[in-house]
Amino acid sequence: MELTEVHTILIIGPTISDKNVDLSTALYDTVDILHQLGYKTSIIVEDPTSLLSSGTFFDKTVVEKVSGDNVLKFVQKYHPDAILPTVGDRNALGIVSSLNGKIGSTKILGANYASSLATFKRDLFIKRLNKARLPVINFISSDDEKEIYSFIRSIGFPIIARRRYSNRHSSGWTNINNLFELDNFMALDDLEDTKIEIERSIRGFSEYSFTILRDSFDNSSLIGTIEDIEPIGIHHLDSNLISPAISLNDSKLQRLRNYSIKLARVFNIIGVCTVHFAYNHVTNECYITEFIPRLSEETKFLEYATSYPVATAVAELCVGFHLDKLQLDAGNFFNGATEPFVDHITSRFPQWNTPGQKYLGPSKTSNSSIIVNGFSLEEVLNKGALNDKLNNNFNRYEELRKLDDDELFEKIIHPTNWMLDVLMEAMRRNFEKPVLSEITGINMPYLTALQNIIDNSLIIREGEIDGHNVERMVEMGVKGVGHSKLLLDSSDIVTKSVVKSKTAISVANKNYPNHNYFVTAGISNELKLSDRKKIIVRTPIITSKTDTTIRQFVLFQLAKSIDQNGLEPIIIGREPWNAPLAMRRKIVEIDDPHMEMKALNLIPNDSILNIIDLSKNLIDTEDDSRVFQFSAQEIKNIDLQADTSARVMVVSDGENFLVPSVIYRTKKNNHLYEVSSVNNFMSPENYNEFAHLIAQELESEHEVAIYNFELIKQKDHWLVTKKYRGMTNDIIRHELASSVHVIDTLVKLLLGNKIGDNLSLEEIFNNFDEQYLLTIDDKRYKLLNKEEMEDELKNLR
């Protein structure tokens, strides 16, 4: 039953979009379903580019610093019935914990005051868990040196310690193994109003996370489990992740599942709760290390893994739905209490932008990650962490071969991001697997998988492939990786690449068709396509958070436009992309890390109208007439700088063009100001000058394309200094800043539509925006109406 007293909801949005890209589609799913259910939603957000077009669902959008003071001001001015913090980041929980007793009758949905506060206050977290007889590591926070040493004597070494400052920031955990190291840590210069936090070290324990959904009637279900291949002591985001957690037998899994459900009940969490565990498989010791009562990177990863619509389910649970009576888009219902049972393994592997080894520890060092699917550990390791095309593993192999045993052992006891390569080299030298497992804390199933990969790599390298071992090697995903040319050339039917559906039992029903596939090995394909004409969108491996933000936005806009124009969108990615729920029924998504789809010929050639390639370089050039490269290609770059510039997006059908977005930038008082949709504030002289310059630049261009120009102002005249064909990183700002949907216009032009001849300058620069985005120093944003923006421009000019 829904909460009848809740009609208006304030959503606390994420802070910096580059760090919270996994929340953008979750935010879209959340506000989409709330809109369908009839709720009015508002959001407070620092960077509106993180909204992924979900802005159409909001009654109010407040672009302000996401802080407790600004949330409180909104509540006091507009009196929303409820606040939803679950699609914000950790900052949203901090805001909720600070609002206790200040917001009157306004409800907090999902994570309540106590659970939010417990994510920050370790002593409250431990007190609650001890009272509920849940396993937790005892902890002390004190500025009394005598009390600290007494506590350490009671728990013994090793320990971990950190300084907690009054502003809630901390120094990060330090591993301390003996009294000498402790004395050195305590002797460090200290700031005032600082406490020392200490707890027993569980370095080397295995780390697991369990994600639970719970409704207000105390019904709970386990949505998914994740296991870190590397043990605790290495930052969670620097570890290779596997879902489901395969090193847990059923009794251990049920034990941790029960603890997770009990914790959600202890804190009365409605919606989602991810619980992190430390587990020692030798002693069977188990501890809860933290919990996250909100949507996070892990819940998004589980959506990839299980196809379970987590964000949609959480929103409905927060407003009072029963877990077994949840509603998908278009009014379809599904039983969310049925726990997913997946037939495949999903893995996330961290990536580093710079080459060389990085020592791993409690602090995060990776820049991004890659997700792959497979049917075996060997397959996902070969596709991901041991994929030579991504990680230069063969160079690592050659470098590690040069080390003597003592140098190699040093690499084993001091882990780096080369850890799996180091372990493989150790096993080639006959280091015993039980010893390696004890030293590194990596569980035996992973070492066994690495040994299988070593054995089969040797067979491939020596060319000893026959019918007895070829099937097993293909199952391990060695096709397209490293020394696999012999496999690729083999005519044996078991070497065939196929496409399989990513099956999850709980969501595989007629009301929720799953169009998620991945390329693997086998004999029969499971790819199902409609008889509609198709546009294929090919996407590259993503190497940074910024790239991910842009890709999510562009893929969503492309898929929506392709579908709205009566075509079937097929997204073929080097890694999976989970579309917002509203589009999942309409999109075919294929995870293809080695770009094998073209060779498989599974999509009838005559059904493909166009191929849109988002790679920075074209993957193939055999069919140029149908391949449209969407990413930017630099055509012109003159190294000139000026205090005033404009970035202009142009869409051309090869004969005529539109200018739907002009972004104006100028420096004043040591600050950089940027104004969106400046089309509506340009003089006729500006229209003429811009149109003339663009027409000159496009004289020799006769194809459908998007162009991006940068113009600078010198001596009261504009000059084109940069020209790109395709999408630049400005695409989000241009699309959000323009009432003319650039991507949809492009799709229509690719289908043969024309812009029209003899358009007036007003029609070429047409823009119907009512709100304008002002950006200051590329980090502060304001949404202004037309009158406010006119005043701002007068001051800037």
Side-chain angles (χ1 to χ4, degrees):
M1 189 67 183
E2 293 181 65
L3 298 176
T4 55
E5 67 274 23
V6 172
H7 305 284
T8 58
I9 300 172
L10 170 64
I11 293 172
I12 302 178
T15 48
I16 304 170
S17 60
D18 282 0
K19 294 183 179 178
N20 299 291
V21 292
D22 291 312
L23 293 177
S24 57
T25 50
L27 178 61
Y28 189 96
D29 283 338
T30 298
V31 296
D32 184 10
I33 194 66
L34 291 176
H35 178 75
Q36 290 182 45
L37 296 172
Y39 292 94
K40 284 191 172 183
T41 55
S42 302
I43 189 168
I44 179 167
V45 64
E46 292 181 16
D47 179 359
T49 62
S50 66
L51 296 183
L52 192 70
S53 293
S54 59
T56 56
F57 300 126
F58 291 112
D59 184 50
K60 295 182 183 68
T61 301
V62 179
V63 179
E64 293 279 3
K65 181 175 175 62
V66 182
S67 66
D69 287 342
N70 285 329
V71 170
L72 191 56
K73 286 177 187 175
F74 184 96
V75 172
Q76 291 170 346
K77 183 176 181 179
Y78 297 106
H79 307 287
D81 298 322
I83 295 174
L84 182 67
T86 57
V87 285
D89 45 33
R90 193 166 184 260
N91 178 54
L93 300 182
I95 291 171
V96 166
S97 66
S98 70
L99 293 177
N100 194 6
K102 299 178 182 178
I103 57 174
S105 61
T106 300
K107 294 180 177 294
I108 299 293
L109 303 179
N112 54 31
Y113 297 115
S115 61
S116 299
L117 189 59
T119 62
F120 295 95
K121 292 185 69 68
R122 191 75 178 168
D123 50 350
L124 173 62
F125 171 69
I126 290 172
K127 183 179 179 181
R128 283 287 187 101
L129 266 60
N130 279 330
K131 186 177 180 181
R133 297 185 179 180
L134 285 167
V136 65
I137 303 164
N138 283 327
F139 156 91
I140 191 174
S141 177
S142 175
D143 55 6
D144 183 338
E145 191 170 311
K146 185 176 179 181
E147 184 182 11
I148 291 170
Y149 276 85
S150 176
F151 176 76
I152 293 170
R153 279 194 295 271
S154 70
I155 64 171
F157 290 105
I159 61 168
I160 53 175
R162 66 180 174 188
R163 285 176 167 77
R164 173 71 71 181
Y165 307 113
S166 57
N167 60 4
R168 285 185 176 165
H169 290 100
S170 68
S171 63
W173 291 106
T174 300
N175 293 298
I176 297 175
N177 298 300
N178 51 52
L179 193 59
F180 174 74
E181 292 179 3
L182 175 64
D183 290 340
N184 287 339
F185 176 82
M186 296 294 290
L188 292 173
D189 288 338
D190 229 346
L191 297 173
E192 290 186 11
D193 199 15
T194 303
K195 290 190 175 182
I196 304 293
E197 297 182 347
I198 288 176
E199 62 183 46
R200 176 194 168 189
S201 173
I202 47 170
R203 189 175 185 177
F205 281 43
S206 296
E207 183 167 8
Y208 302 93
S209 66
F210 280 52
T211 295
I212 296 291
L213 290 188
R214 179 175 180 267
D215 65 19
S216 54
F217 308 94
D218 199 25
N219 302 305
S220 301
S221 64
L222 175 65
I223 298 307
T225 61
I226 301 173
E227 175 175 358
D228 291 51
I229 292 182
E230 287 82 3
I232 284 178
I234 293 173
H235 193 281
H236 183 60
L237 295 179
D238 284 350
S239 178
N240 299 294
L241 303 185
I242 298 287
S243 180
I246 61 173
S247 66
L248 292 173
N249 60 29
D250 187 61
S251 62
K252 292 176 181 177
L253 186 143
Q254 293 302 328
R255 180 184 176 192
L256 301 190
R257 176 183 179 275
N258 291 338
Y259 285 153
S260 302
I261 292 172
K262 190 174 182 180
L263 182 143
R265 185 179 296 130
V266 164
F267 286 101
N268 194 28
I269 295 167
I270 309 302
V272 66
C273 180
T274 298
V275 186
H276 281 250
F277 292 95
Y279 201 100
N280 187 321
H281 288 278
V282 176
T283 64
N284 278 330
E285 289 177 277
C286 166
Y287 298 104
I288 296 172
T289 57
E290 67 171 329
F291 74 109
I292 307 170
R294 60 175 174 84
L295 295 165
S296 63
E297 284 187 327
E298 287 165 272
T299 55
K300 191 62 188 172
F301 175 61
L302 288 175
E303 283 207 16
Y304 284 130
T306 66
S307 298
Y308 191 106
V310 179
T312 299
V314 169
E316 294 182 0
L317 295 176
C318 287
V319 296
F321 275 67
H322 282 262
L323 186 59
D324 61 341
K325 295 181 177 65
L326 297 177
Q327 180 177 319
L328 298 173
D329 61 309
N332 293 309
F333 289 85
F334 81 107
N335 183 352
T338 305
E339 299 185 348
F341 180 83
V342 296
D343 67 345
H344 59 280
I345 296 172
T346 304
S347 304
R348 190 192 75 191
F349 298 95
Q351 291 287 289
W352 285 262
N353 287 348
T354 54
Q357 298 184 63
K358 308 289 186 300
Y359 282 99
L360 303 182
S363 299
K364 176 179 176 290
T365 62
S366 59
N367 308 103
S368 60
S369 58
I370 290 169
I371 295 174
V372 296
N373 295 296
F375 286 120
S376 67
L377 272 179
E378 293 88 350
E379 182 177 358
V380 294
L381 289 171
N382 271 319
K383 282 181 175 180
L386 304 178
N387 186 339
D388 189 56
K389 293 180 180 179
L390 304 178
N391 304 317
N392 297 314
N393 298 86
F394 189 67
N395 291 340
R396 296 181 182 185
Y397 165 72
E398 292 291 347
E399 194 169 324
L400 291 171
R401 282 180 64 190
K402 299 172 185 175
L403 303 179
D404 60 36
D405 284 1
D406 289 338
E407 292 170 324
L408 186 65
F409 189 74
E410 186 72 16
K411 300 284 185 189
I412 295 171
I413 61 175
H414 296 294
T416 70
N417 57 332
W418 289 21
M419 175 54 82
L420 297 183
D421 302 87
V422 169
L423 289 172
M424 289 178 72
E425 180 59 29
M427 285 187 279
R428 289 187 191 99
R429 302 186 190 188
N430 297 318
F431 282 48
E432 294 183 0
K433 288 194 288 293
V435 175
L436 291 174
S437 178
E438 184 178 350
I439 293 171
T440 63
I442 294 177
N443 292 321
M444 283 297 291
Y446 302 104
L447 297 179
T448 302
L450 292 175
Q451 185 66 62
N452 291 336
I453 291 170
I454 292 168
D455 295 342
N456 286 287
S457 295
L458 184 62
I459 292 171
I460 295 170
R461 195 171 292 121
E462 294 177 355
E464 298 176 358
I465 300 177
D466 57 35
H468 296 296
N469 54 38
V470 66
E471 184 172 0
R472 179 65 178 141
M473 282 188 287
V474 174
E475 287 174 357
M476 291 184 185
V478 295
K479 285 188 63 182
V481 186
H483 303 275
S484 58
K485 190 174 186 306
L486 288 170
L487 274 180
L488 291 172
D489 292 343
S490 170
S491 60
D492 196 309
I493 191 170
V494 297
T495 67
K496 183 180 178 183
S497 292
V498 299
V499 173
K500 293 285 189 181
S501 176
K502 222 170 65 176
T503 305
I505 300 302
S506 72
V507 292
N509 60 57
K510 62 181 180 180
N511 292 326
Y512 185 59
N514 180 22
H515 297 309
N516 256 311
Y517 301 90
F518 62 98
V519 178
T520 183
I523 297 174
S524 62
N525 288 289
E526 296 176 357
L527 182 63
K528 295 178 181 177
L529 302 172
S530 73
D531 56 3
R532 287 191 292 170
K533 292 288 186 178
K534 298 159 180 50
I535 289 184
I536 294 174
V537 182
R538 300 190 302 206
T539 69
I541 284 287
I542 299 302
T543 55
S544 75
K545 290 285 189 183
T546 304
D547 286 346
T548 308
T549 306
I550 294 165
R551 184 183 74 150
Q552 292 215 33
F553 179 84
V554 170
L555 282 178
F556 176 69
Q557 296 289 2
L558 275 172
K560 187 164 66 170
S561 176
I562 292 167
D563 175 68
Q564 288 173 348
N565 282 281
L567 305 168
E568 184 172 33
I570 300 179
I571 312 295
I572 301 178
R574 298 289 297 275
E575 58 173 328
W577 173 67
N578 232 26
L581 185 62
M583 292 301 299
R584 282 187 214 171
R585 247 187 283 266
K586 303 166 183 175
I587 299 175
V588 175
E589 302 171 48
I590 305 172
D591 168 21
D592 183 17
H594 303 303
M595 300 310 288
E596 299 174 85
M597 273 300 297
K598 185 184 176 188
L600 296 181
N601 293 320
L602 296 178
I603 304 172
N605 202 46
D606 58 0
S607 72
I608 302 171
L609 284 181
N610 284 97
I611 299 167
I612 298 175
D613 200 303
L614 297 187
S615 304
K616 298 208 186 302
N617 298 295
L618 283 173
I619 295 167
D620 62 68
T621 55
E622 294 174 16
D623 192 2
D624 285 346
S625 63
R626 289 193 306 170
V627 178
F628 177 83
Q629 186 167 12
F630 198 82
S631 293
Q633 298 169 293
E634 186 180 281
I635 300 173
K636 179 179 184 177
N637 191 341
I638 301 172
D639 188 18
L640 287 175
Q641 303 294 323
D643 285 346
T644 300
S645 65
R647 299 209 299 276
V648 183
M649 174 169 278
V650 176
V651 186
S652 171
D653 63 2
E655 297 173 2
N656 300 293
F657 61 85
L658 297 173
V659 186
S661 176
V662 179
I663 296 175
Y664 175 81
R665 291 170 72 96
T666 189
K667 290 180 181 177
K668 187 174 182 181
N669 300 329
N670 294 321
H671 291 287
L672 178 63
Y673 293 85
E674 179 180 286
V675 179
S676 72
S677 303
V678 82
N679 312 41
N680 290 339
F681 306 101
M682 291 168 63
S683 66
E685 291 78 18
N686 285 151
Y687 281 152
N688 271 311
E689 191 172 5
F690 275 49
H692 178 70
L693 290 171
I694 292 167
Q696 279 186 325
E697 294 289 339
L698 298 184
E699 275 182 348
S700 59
E701 309 284 358
H702 302 292
E703 297 178 351
V704 172
I706 289 177
Y707 296 93
N708 281 271
F709 297 96
E710 186 162 320
L711 288 72
I712 64 168
K713 195 171 187 180
Q714 284 192 338
K715 298 179 180 178
D716 293 326
H717 289 285
W718 291 93
L719 173 68
V720 176
T721 58
K722 293 180 182 178
K723 175 185 175 184
Y724 299 91
R725 182 188 293 114
M727 174 193 75
T728 66
N729 286 355
D730 291 334
I731 184 69
I732 297 179
R733 218 162 274 187
H734 277 302
E735 183 81 9
L736 291 179
S738 173
S739 56
V740 180
H741 294 299
V742 178
I743 293 175
D744 185 55
T745 303
L746 172 70
V747 170
K748 285 180 166 61
L749 295 179
L750 288 173
L751 295 177
N753 291 285
K754 294 294 182 181
I755 289 174
D757 298 324
N758 302 317
L759 296 180
S760 67
L761 287 174
E762 286 76 12
E763 290 172 315
I764 289 173
F765 286 87
N766 207 0
N767 195 312
F768 302 103
D769 271 7
E770 296 177 355
Q771 283 194 312
Y772 303 89
L773 185 63
L774 175 66
T775 307
I776 305 170
D777 297 330
D778 287 327
K779 59 185 179 183
R780 286 166 46 217
Y781 302 87
K782 290 183 180 180
L783 276 181
L784 305 175
N785 62 32
K786 191 168 185 177
E787 292 74 21
E788 291 170 329
M789 187 56 84
E790 281 178 336
D791 292 340
E792 196 75 45
L793 279 169
K794 284 178 185 176
N795 294 330
L796 293 176
R797 287 169 174 165

